């Protein structure tokens, strides 16, 4: 009996030991498995986050590079645009055609009549809507006789008559006819004929211009003409 009880006790102890070992093994496996999953998940998440951050940095860098490139392109584009604008501005001036007499509003005023500096102030303004240019000095024939020769250019005039003066709509240029009256054997008139000169010096069609002012009638023995200018001559 004693032996049977001892055997049962030993078997019970052995079963308990096996059960305990199995429990420990399961606990260890379960802990290891859970820990491994958690670590793996953390590691995977970390890897994903690392890759995501890396991808984001790469994309951000690419985006920044693209943005920087776009900015540089924009700067180049704006610079090119500015250059183009400048070229177009110059091109506009270069492409502006010569003014025609019928699109200019021309007036003439007799100033300093009978005094030193007696002259006819000629003002020409662009009455059209597109830019055009004038050059040199106007061709002028005093009086009503269109068969008389045109007046010469003043020898005392400032240089620069070969320039093209571009007139936009409403812009004005000035010239003057210097009158020299010696008191006898002179000519008198109240109007004159005027034409524009081309870049080659050739004269265009003549148009009649009536003189205004307190004394529109003028006299001369000799006369000459000044170049077109953006400033009024004898403006004193």
């Amino acid at each position: 009996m004693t032996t049977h009880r001892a055997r049962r006790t030993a078997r019970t102890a052995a079963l308990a030991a096996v059960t305990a070992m199995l429990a420990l093994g399961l606990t260890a496996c379960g802990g290891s498995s859970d820990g491994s999953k958690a670590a793996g998940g953390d590691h995977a998440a970390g890897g994903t986050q690392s890759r995501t951050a890396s991808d984001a940095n790469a994309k951000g860098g690419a985006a920044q590079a693209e943005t920087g490139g776009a900015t540089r392109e924009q700067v180049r584009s704006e610079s090119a645009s500015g250059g183009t604008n400048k070229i177009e501005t110059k091109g506009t001036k270069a492409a502006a055609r010569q003014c025609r007499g019928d699109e200019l509003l021309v007036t003439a005023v007799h100033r300093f009549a009978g005094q030193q500096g007696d002259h006819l102030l000629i003002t020409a303004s662009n009455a059209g809507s597109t830019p055009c240019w004038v050059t040199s000095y106007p061709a002028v024939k005093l009086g009503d006789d269109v068969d008389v020769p045109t007046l010469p250019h003043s020898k005392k005039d400032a240089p620069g008559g070969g320039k093209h003066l571009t007139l936009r709509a409403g812009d004005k240029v000035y010239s003057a006819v210097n009158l020299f009256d010696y008191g006898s054997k002179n000519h008198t008139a109240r109007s004159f004929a005027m034409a524009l000169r081309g870049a080659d010096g050739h004269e265009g069609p003549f148009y009649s211009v009536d003189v205004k002012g307190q004394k529109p009638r003028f006299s001369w023995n000799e006369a000459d003409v000044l170049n077109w200018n953006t400033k009024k001559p004898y403006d004193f």
Side-chain angles (χ1 to χ4, degrees):
M1 176 135 185
T2 302
T3 302
H4 178 72
R5 184 179 296 169
R7 287 177 181 173
R8 187 173 60 186
T9 302
R11 188 172 56 198
T12 302
L15 290 173
V18 172
T19 303
M21 290 178 65
L22 288 172
L24 288 173
L26 290 172
T27 302
C29 290
S32 176
S33 176
D34 293 343
S36 182
K37 286 181 181 178
D42 291 344
H43 181 71
T48 303
Q49 290 175 357
S50 177
R51 287 194 299 273
T52 303
S54 177
D55 292 344
N57 289 338
K59 290 179 180 178
Q64 183 177 2
E66 289 177 0
T67 303
T71 301
R72 288 192 294 273
E73 289 298 330
Q74 184 177 2
V75 171
R76 285 197 293 267
S77 177
E78 288 175 356
S79 299
S81 176
T84 303
N85 288 340
K86 291 180 182 178
I87 293 172
E88 285 177 356
T89 301
K90 291 179 181 178
T92 300
K93 291 183 179 179
R97 56 177 173 73
Q98 182 181 0
C99 296
R100 299 192 307 267
D102 58 357
E103 65 185 354
L104 293 182
L105 177 61
V106 179
T107 61
V109 178
H110 189 193
R111 303 180 67 204
F112 304 114
Q115 306 175 40
Q116 185 176 2
D118 190 352
H119 69 278
L120 305 176
L121 174 64
I122 302 175
T123 303
S125 59
N126 184 358
S129 58
T130 56
C132 62
W133 54 263
V134 296
T135 189
S136 189
Y137 61 98
V140 176
K141 297 182 178 184
L142 296 179
D144 299 327
D145 188 358
V146 295
D147 293 328
V148 299
T150 56
L151 298 179
H153 178 230
S154 174
K155 295 180 180 179
K156 297 181 180 180
D157 196 6
K163 296 180 180 178
H164 287 189
L165 302 181
T166 300
L167 302 179
R168 299 189 181 279
D171 284 353
K172 297 179 180 180
V173 287
Y174 306 92
S175 178
V177 177
N178 299 313
L179 301 171
F180 305 99
D181 186 359
Y182 305 138
S184 62
K185 297 183 180 180
N186 55 9
H187 308 277
T188 61
R190 297 173 64 98
S191 65
F192 61 88
M194 192 201 83
L196 299 174
R197 294 181 185 275
D200 56 2
H202 290 170
E203 304 165 357
F206 280 84
Y207 297 87
S208 180
V209 180
D210 293 328
V211 177
K212 307 296 182 182
Q214 293 182 348
K215 295 182 178 180
R217 182 176 293 276
F218 56 93
S219 302
W220 77 100
N221 289 92
E222 295 181 1
D224 55 31
V225 188
L226 299 180
N227 287 324
W228 290 114
N229 202 313
T230 55
K231 296 181 179 180
K232 288 182 181 181
Y234 311 118
D235 192 16
F236 47 78

